Amino acid sequence: MKANAKRPLGFESFWAHAMHPVLLAFPIPFLLGASFMVPDLVVELGLMVSAITLGILAVMGILARRRVILRQRLLSEAVPLLVSNDLNPAFLTDVDGVIAYANDAANERFTETSDESLAARLATVIANPDAVLYRLQSRAITMASAREDIVTRAGQYRLSVARVGPMMFLWRFDDLAQASAKTERASATLSLPMMTVGKSGAILFLNDAFRRLLECRPRAVSDVFGPDPIRSGDLHRIKTTGGTVDCIVAEVSGGPGRREIYALPAPPTTIGPWTEKQVSTSWSVIEDLPVPLMKVSGKGDIIESNREARMLLGVQSTENRRMTEMLDGLGRPVDDWVKEIFENKEGQASQFLQGKGDRQDHVIQVTLNAVGVDSDAHLIAVLNDVTELKSLEAQFVQSQKMHAIGQLAGGVAHDFNNLLTAISGHCDLLLLRHDQGDQDYSDLLQIHQNANRAASLVGQLLAFSRKQNLQPEIVDLRDTLSDLTHLLNRLVGEKVTLTLNHDPNLSPIKADKRQLEQVLMNLVVNARDAMPDGGTIQVVTENLVLDREIERDRAFVPAGEYVVVKVNDEGKGIPPEIMSKIFVPFYTTKRLGEGTGLGLSTAYGIVKQTGGYIFADSEVGRGTQFSLLFPHHDAPIADVIQHEAPVPTPLTSTSDGVVLLVEDEAPVRAFASRALRLRGYTVIEAECAEAALQLLSDPDLNVDIFVTDVIMPGMDGPTWVREALCDRPDTKVVFVSGYAEDAFGDGKTKIPNSVFLPKPFSLNDLTNTVQGQLH
């Protein structure tokens, strides 16, 4: 053990060690004597105050030292009582590795030396114990405990340590090879046939019961059960030297790359060494079998069960219990299913059932086999906990469903953006020919405003499918919420009170500020709607440090630093049965016409695209809390350079330039062409990429800029532009699309001299963009 190993000292340990009471009390007489000798009153008072202060500190040091000594004495007496009867070696040491106590198992295991150093004791089994002990003790100082597996030629060991005080450590030594040997010996004496099979199907271990049954020593599991795969709970046929034997197979994991297979007696008519007496008395053997098993009557009564089955079902006893009391059918009554299997006696049948009571979140696969004859006819039930498997399956189905909805939302948004571009664009053209005094002006303005509202709704679809354009920046949520407070207060109304509570040391995050404001507005509006009679909405921000990964709502949140935003309300709450549906698009509990069902799904999409997490906690009648977790960003706000958007130059009545417009949607192409011609550009139209390349094949054709759609039948926009730029490398490019900018990147490098204009765009958006590219 390293003699200079460091340890953290608490407040008491600090006074007891760093500031010894004797050292503090030593100057007191000199200070008091000097105070009487100095004529200056101020100096005299200062010396007296210093002496009194040192006296108080000395008393505190004495008390702290006594408490530390008393605590260490209590620990030194209590810990040996806890580990004295432990079957594994245990040591209590100080910070320098000197053994203060060793239990009987430690003294028996390490008899080669009587050295009082733990490193000397462990040197008989570990080559370099000093490095191992120092490494583990350093981790225990910071994390309270540590553990490490050590593999040597002599065997495999596990050394663990726990800090039990500021200067004491409890060490435990486990011989893993010895524990494994004990388990193997227990399996060898088991009267139920059992084998251990490796990853390749080779038989690694065969107990005495299986050897007596087979009367031979097979090498592979296929030599025993044939080429068909083994399934736990199924009826299989075993090949023996005296013929074949039917048995029910139970399989469990035996460690990495291993599986343990148990052969349970089948019906008494089976050929082989099993008798009916063994079938009826086998439950005494099965009690300790690491496979959940039950003996069930044809009416669904549980006759017998082993320990593993009772642990899985969460009951102490199954006496006078029925399957329907602990398991629920996921589509049909359990009793009907049991009765059908019992009467038909057709092999085995399996079904996924759900637990009841405290186990209702568990999914259990129950495999039934009809065995026995006449009065002894019954069912053998093999249980398997598939909760994790079903959870993974549900996650996969949910992700597939959300992916499909996202694809649909993106496609619908693309088509709607084309329609809205044509509607709002032609509306802009009409507004150019009408002034405010015209009687049609207000009608045209209504069309234009509703087209913009429709575009906002389409934007929410893209947000849900995580395909909208984000402009991330370093954001201080305190400033963002402060700027948003005025709007939020107007949204909540007079009956609802909005309060903000910020962490003064809140870390910055990286997000799209505009989209983040949309998320907060959606959550606050939902909180307001949940409190029709009024109440308080609290918005809380705080820092959060996760020391380890957490799993919640089928999401895994990695360890790290996060910024948390909580939106709390005092509303009606969300019932548990609909909690899993709140983020599903178009799902709403509001009346027809009051909500689109896109508020929370939009928030979900924006948060996930930002790299964050969103969770909901609710209690009916008490209220709801939404928690947003965003990764902490290291860059300070002041270090981020904000690039101001360039101010477009005013449009002149006429402009120079030849524009090649490529758009497959005729209404959009007609609007864009008229808008550009109104500004004086010469426009050449093409309905597809192939037609554009054919026009450009004329070397005498002069084109200054390409304005092209991205997604088109046949060749897409980026592909034909790359081909065209080979001969015209200086031509500027404007890409337009109803999809997000990164939806068509496909990992390729950005095309030079190009910009992106999302649909729907207005007349001014289009002409400003083209002019900005050309000038």
Side-chain angles (χ1 to χ4, degrees):
M1 177 68 64
K2 302 291 184 181
N4 61 345
K6 303 298 181 182
R7 63 182 183 272
L9 293 178
F11 178 78
E12 295 175 347
S13 298
F14 173 78
W15 287 111
H17 296 86
M19 303 185 71
H20 199 282
V22 175
L23 297 177
L24 293 171
F26 180 74
I28 294 176
F30 298 96
L31 291 174
L32 290 175
S35 65
F36 292 107
M37 297 173 62
V38 176
D40 193 336
L41 181 61
V42 175
V43 176
E44 180 182 353
L45 290 175
L47 292 173
M48 293 183 67
V49 170
S50 300
I52 294 171
T53 303
L54 289 176
I56 294 173
L57 293 176
V59 172
M60 290 177 63
I62 293 171
L63 295 177
R65 187 174 181 83
R66 292 186 62 183
R67 292 187 63 180
V68 170
I69 295 173
L70 179 60
R71 180 181 298 177
Q72 289 298 129
R73 185 182 302 166
L74 292 174
L75 287 172
S76 300
E77 295 174 356
V79 172
L81 293 176
L82 295 175
V83 298
S84 59
N85 296 322
D86 196 337
L87 298 178
N88 291 302
F91 301 91
L92 184 66
T93 71
D94 63 9
V95 71
D96 295 323
V98 178
I99 298 174
Y101 172 79
N103 66 355
D104 294 338
N107 292 325
E108 292 177 5
R109 178 66 175 82
F110 300 96
T111 57
E112 294 85 352
T113 177
S114 59
D115 198 300
E116 294 304 317
S117 169
L118 179 61
R121 294 279 188 102
L122 297 181
T124 58
V125 292
I126 302 175
N128 186 16
D130 286 310
V132 177
L133 294 175
Y134 179 70
R135 182 167 59 248
L136 286 174
Q137 182 168 299
S138 299
R139 287 161 54 189
I141 289 174
T142 57
M143 302 176 62
S145 63
R147 183 179 67 183
E148 186 171 320
D149 291 344
I150 305 165
V151 180
T152 67
R153 292 184 178 181
Q156 183 176 357
Y157 310 102
R158 175 171 294 166
L159 186 62
S160 56
V161 59
R163 178 163 51 88
V164 295
M167 294 182 292
M168 302 298 289
F169 296 88
L170 177 63
W171 300 83
R172 195 171 185 273
F173 183 85
D174 298 332
D175 190 337
L176 300 181
Q178 186 178 5
S180 177
K182 289 180 181 178
T183 304
E184 187 171 307
R185 288 195 296 270
S187 302
T189 58
L190 186 66
S191 60
L192 200 67
M194 174 266 181
M195 68 168 62
T196 303
V197 181
K199 193 173 183 179
S200 62
I203 297 177
L204 306 177
F205 171 76
L206 204 68
N207 72 348
D208 294 337
F210 226 133
R211 290 195 189 96
R212 290 194 300 269
L213 176 63
L214 300 177
E215 297 181 355
C216 64
R217 183 63 172 89
R219 294 185 177 182
V221 68
S222 58
D223 298 336
V224 180
F225 295 98
D228 296 333
I230 296 175
R231 290 186 298 180
S232 185
D234 285 7
L235 193 67
H236 287 269
R237 183 159 291 179
I238 296 178
K239 301 176 185 178
T240 69
T241 56
T244 57
V245 176
D246 290 335
C247 70
I248 299 172
V249 171
E251 180 180 326
V252 294
S253 173
R258 296 187 176 190
R259 52 197 176 117
E260 295 179 354
I261 300 174
Y262 297 84
L264 282 66
T269 56
T270 305
I271 302 173
W274 279 334
T275 64
E276 185 166 352
K277 182 179 179 181
Q278 285 177 302
V279 175
S280 60
T281 61
S282 61
W283 283 98
S284 60
V285 178
I286 292 174
E287 171 65 20
D288 296 325
L289 192 68
V291 180
L293 296 169
M294 292 194 307
K295 182 178 179 181
V296 184
S297 71
K299 297 180 180 179
D301 298 317
I302 301 176
I303 303 173
E304 297 279 359
S305 65
N306 67 350
R307 183 184 297 108
E308 287 291 327
R310 295 191 294 273
M311 289 176 58
L312 180 58
L313 296 173
V315 295
Q316 296 292 331
S317 172
T318 56
E319 187 177 357
N320 299 324
R321 305 287 293 269
R322 296 175 56 83
M323 285 185 63
T324 53
E325 297 178 28
M326 291 170 287
L327 296 170
D328 191 15
L330 301 181
R332 59 182 302 193
V334 175
D335 283 343
D336 293 350
W337 176 57
V338 172
K339 182 178 179 182
E340 178 183 324
I341 302 302
F342 181 77
E343 293 178 351
N344 294 339
K345 300 183 184 298
E346 296 178 356
Q348 60 86 31
S350 180
Q351 190 170 124
F352 294 99
L353 304 179
Q354 190 172 9
K356 286 187 174 181
D358 296 338
R359 297 280 169 160
Q360 62 181 357
D361 57 341
H362 282 59
V363 180
I364 301 173
Q365 182 185 19
V366 181
T367 304
L368 294 180
N369 288 274
V371 297
V373 294
D374 300 332
S375 60
D376 193 42
H378 59 275
L379 297 169
I380 296 294
V382 180
L383 311 184
N384 186 23
D385 189 354
V386 293
T387 304
E388 185 175 354
L389 178 63
K390 281 294 183 181
S391 177
L392 291 174
E393 181 183 334
Q395 290 182 45
F396 178 75
V397 171
Q398 179 70 7
S399 65
Q400 290 292 97
K401 182 174 68 174
M402 300 301 278
H403 177 72
I405 295 176
Q407 293 278 47
L408 175 63
V412 169
H414 173 261
D415 292 339
F416 264 91
N417 279 331
N418 279 327
L419 295 173
L420 292 172
T421 301
I423 294 171
S424 61
H426 285 92
C427 186
D428 286 341
L429 293 173
L430 287 172
L431 286 171
L432 291 177
R433 301 200 300 266
H434 294 76
D435 54 26
Q436 295 186 7
D438 197 306
Q439 60 180 358
D440 295 331
Y441 184 84
S442 60
D443 296 333
L444 292 173
L445 204 59
Q446 281 292 325
I447 296 173
H448 191 271
Q449 290 175 354
N450 282 280
N452 289 336
R453 289 182 59 192
S456 176
L457 184 62
V458 173
Q460 292 187 29
L461 278 175
L462 286 173
F464 160 71
S465 61
R466 306 184 213 172
K467 293 180 179 179
Q468 85 277 31
N469 291 310
L470 292 182
Q471 297 177 351
E473 57 182 298
I474 307 301
V475 175
D476 188 334
L477 283 172
R478 293 170 296 185
D479 296 337
T480 302
L481 286 170
S482 298
D483 297 340
L484 200 60
T485 301
H486 180 68
L487 178 59
L488 293 178
N489 280 322
R490 291 180 59 188
L491 286 174
V492 299
E494 297 179 355
K495 294 183 179 180
V496 177
T497 303
L498 179 68
T499 63
L500 302 178
N501 187 7
H502 297 304
D503 187 332
N505 299 316
L506 195 67
S507 301
I509 65 172
K510 190 171 185 179
D512 186 313
K513 185 176 180 181
R514 180 176 54 85
Q515 299 288 352
L516 191 58
E517 290 174 350
Q518 179 69 40
V519 171
L520 295 172
M521 287 172 57
N522 288 350
L523 295 178
V524 169
V525 167
N526 281 349
R528 177 204 64 188
D529 294 342
M531 300 184 295
D533 299 328
T536 301
I537 300 175
Q538 291 184 335
V539 180
V540 182
T541 61
E542 60 186 10
N543 292 323
L544 174 66
V545 178
L546 295 180
D547 297 328
R548 57 183 178 83
E549 181 185 67
I550 62 171
E551 177 185 2
R552 181 178 174 188
D553 298 343
R554 300 175 181 171
F556 291 91
V557 183
E561 297 183 26
Y562 294 87
V563 174
V564 183
V565 183
K566 297 179 181 178
V567 180
N568 305 316
D569 66 59
E570 302 171 343
K572 299 174 291 186
I574 304 174
E577 59 271 14
I578 67 172
M579 180 65 80
S580 60
K581 305 176 183 178
I582 59 176
F583 295 117
V584 175
F586 306 112
Y587 179 82
T588 179
T589 57
K590 299 177 182 178
R591 292 179 296 182
L592 186 64
E594 291 186 356
T596 62
L598 284 173
L600 288 178
S601 62
T602 299
Y604 177 87
I606 294 173
V607 171
K608 297 300 288 184
Q609 192 173 4
T610 306
Y613 302 86
I614 180 169
F615 302 109
D617 298 285
S618 185
E619 185 177 349
V620 177
R622 298 288 298 273
T624 303
Q625 173 180 283
F626 281 92
S627 302
L628 311 178
L629 276 70
F630 297 101
H632 155 82
H633 202 274
D634 294 329
I637 302 294
D639 292 346
V640 178
I641 301 175
Q642 300 291 343
H643 298 282
E644 297 184 359
V647 179
T649 56
L651 289 175
T652 57
S653 57
T654 59
S655 300
D656 298 329
V658 179
V659 180
L660 176 58
L661 176 63
V662 186
E663 173 62 62
D664 61 305
E665 289 286 339
V668 178
R669 188 171 69 250
F671 151 65
S673 177
R674 288 182 60 187
L676 292 170
R677 286 193 175 99
L678 281 174
R679 297 305 184 191
Y681 293 104
T682 301
V683 181
I684 303 173
E685 299 182 32
E687 62 181 5
C688 62
E690 291 76 9
L693 290 175
Q694 186 176 0
L695 290 170
L696 294 174
S697 62
D698 182 2
D700 297 329
L701 179 63
N702 180 38
V703 176
D704 298 305
I705 188 169
F706 301 147
V707 179
T708 176
D709 194 8
V710 174
I711 307 299
M712 295 181 292
M715 192 179 296
D716 62 21
T719 303
W720 83 260
V721 167
R722 284 190 175 90
E723 184 175 338
L725 289 178
C726 293
D727 297 327
R728 303 168 184 264
D730 297 328
T731 309
K732 305 296 179 63
V733 184
V734 175
F735 287 112
V736 297
S737 178
Y739 289 108
E741 183 176 0
D742 58 354
F744 57 88
D746 197 23
K748 299 179 181 178
T749 57
K750 182 177 174 63
I751 294 176
N753 299 323
S754 66
V755 295
F756 179 77
L757 178 63
K759 295 179 181 178
F761 51 80
S762 65
L763 185 148
N764 287 332
D765 292 336
L766 176 61
T767 53
N768 283 340
T769 303
V770 171
Q771 187 182 27
Q773 277 291 87
L774 288 176
H775 306 287

